[in-house]
Amino acid sequence: MSTTYRHEMPGGATWSATVPAGRSITITALGPDANASLLLFAADRLDRLNLPDTLKAQMSACVRPPMTLMSDRGLALASVTHSTLAWHDCLTGFGHEAHLARFAPTSYQVERNDWRRPARSELLLELAKYGLGEADLHGCVNLFTKVAIADDTAASLAWQAGHTVAGDTVTLRTEVDLLVVLSTAQHPLATFDHPVAGVEVAVGPAAPVAADDPSIAFRDETARSLEMSRRVLA
């Protein structure tokens, strides 16, 4: 893939861009235990990522290749074409102020540009650039993060340290024109209180979807989501 755009995000940052259909977005972890919370909106705002439908239709509790990321109308917004990890969290959402409050207080007055903010605050600031707000927030995919059942009587979900190392990648193929929003704030269940690793985002042309594309062959529901996206573009 030739890259036409490359952007490096430090930990605790946000990024967004409108990306046309038929592009490849490769996100690379720049350090261990990176986390990138991903939101997807169709450029016309008629569709946005719907994780409950995405998981139910593809019989999964996580995001992994060759799944598609489906909208609330069942369109494939993007396909996961490659990942060095077999698990990207989509059960636990983005962090709030209360999650950071477990650790030491943080403020701009004391820490200046090292001030830590949760993903929810960062995503709202980014959405405001497009005239979107709190009502437009939806469940996110926490790329590079894995959660698993904890060893406790409540069978709660626990963040898995060491799941990601520097150089791990995940690649998405855009199936319709998209608004892509990312936050590299700390995962809400992370147990560490030190700066989270950043990620690199590279965007370039994707190969055309072939008849034997792994996402088409994965499940009937996945193939239908891609066909619906094709009809939207026709």
Side-chain angles (χ1 to χ4, degrees), residues 24 53 61 78 83 110 139 143 154 157 176 221 227 233:
S24 179
D53 284 357
S83 176
V110 174
L143 300 170
L157 292 173
V176 295
E221 294 85 348
E227 173 60 19
L233 293 176

Side-chain angles (χ1 to χ4, degrees), residues 35-36 51 61-63 87-94 140-147 157 159 163 187-189:
N35 180 68
L51 284 173
C62 65
V63 165
W87 190 296
H88 298 276
D89 166 49
C90 48
L91 299 177
T92 50
F94 39 75
C140 67
V141 182
N142 287 309
L143 300 170
F144 304 117
T145 290
K146 181 179 181 179
V147 296
L157 292 173
W159 176 78
H163 177 61
H187 186 272
L189 300 184

Side-chain angles (χ1 to χ4, degrees), residues 24-231:
S24 179
I25 305 173
T26 296
I27 305 165
T28 303
L30 299 179
D33 293 329
N35 180 68
S37 300
L38 170 71
L39 303 180
L40 294 177
F41 301 85
D44 59 9
R45 307 293 189 264
L46 291 177
D47 293 272
R48 62 191 59 186
L49 177 60
N50 184 315
L51 284 173
D53 284 357
T54 294
L55 300 181
K56 181 176 65 176
Q58 296 173 101
M59 303 291 289
S60 180
C62 65
V63 165
R64 55 188 169 82
M67 293 172 62
T68 59
L69 301 178
M70 299 180 184
S71 77
D72 32 16
R73 292 196 301 170
L75 277 68
L77 298 178
S79 299
V80 186
T81 58
H82 173 78
S83 176
T84 58
L85 300 165
W87 190 296
H88 298 276
D89 166 49
C90 48
L91 299 177
T92 50
F94 39 75
H96 293 237
E97 294 288 349
H99 296 114
L100 288 181
R102 295 175 298 157
F103 307 112
T106 178
S107 69
Y108 176 76
Q109 288 74 15
V110 174
E111 297 169 276
R112 296 301 181 184
N113 288 337
D114 292 329
W115 171 38
R116 293 173 294 125
R117 287 180 293 183
R120 185 178 189 279
S121 300
E122 293 191 333
L123 291 170
L124 283 173
L125 288 172
E126 200 67 23
L127 291 180
K129 298 177 182 177
Y130 303 90
L132 303 174
E134 190 166 1
D136 300 295
L137 281 173
H138 59 68
C140 67
V141 182
N142 287 309
L143 300 170
F144 304 117
T145 290
K146 181 179 181 179
V147 296
I149 302 298
D151 185 18
D152 59 24
T153 56
S156 54
L157 292 173
W159 176 78
Q160 302 297 294
H163 177 61
T164 297
V165 299
D168 276 325
T169 64
V170 57
T171 299
L172 309 177
R173 181 182 63 216
T174 57
E175 305 297 352
V176 295
D177 298 343
L178 288 181
L179 168 62
V180 180
V181 185
L182 278 176
S183 165
T184 51
Q186 188 182 51
H187 186 272
L189 300 184
T191 56
F192 62 87
D193 185 25
H194 56 75
V196 67
V199 302
E200 181 193 78
V201 183
V203 182
V209 181
D212 61 348
D213 186 89
S215 293
I216 294 177
F218 180 49
R219 291 184 59 83
D220 291 345
E221 294 85 348
T222 314
R224 280 200 295 271
S225 71
L226 288 165
E227 173 60 19
M228 291 180 65
S229 298
R230 188 192 66 79
R231 294 179 184 180

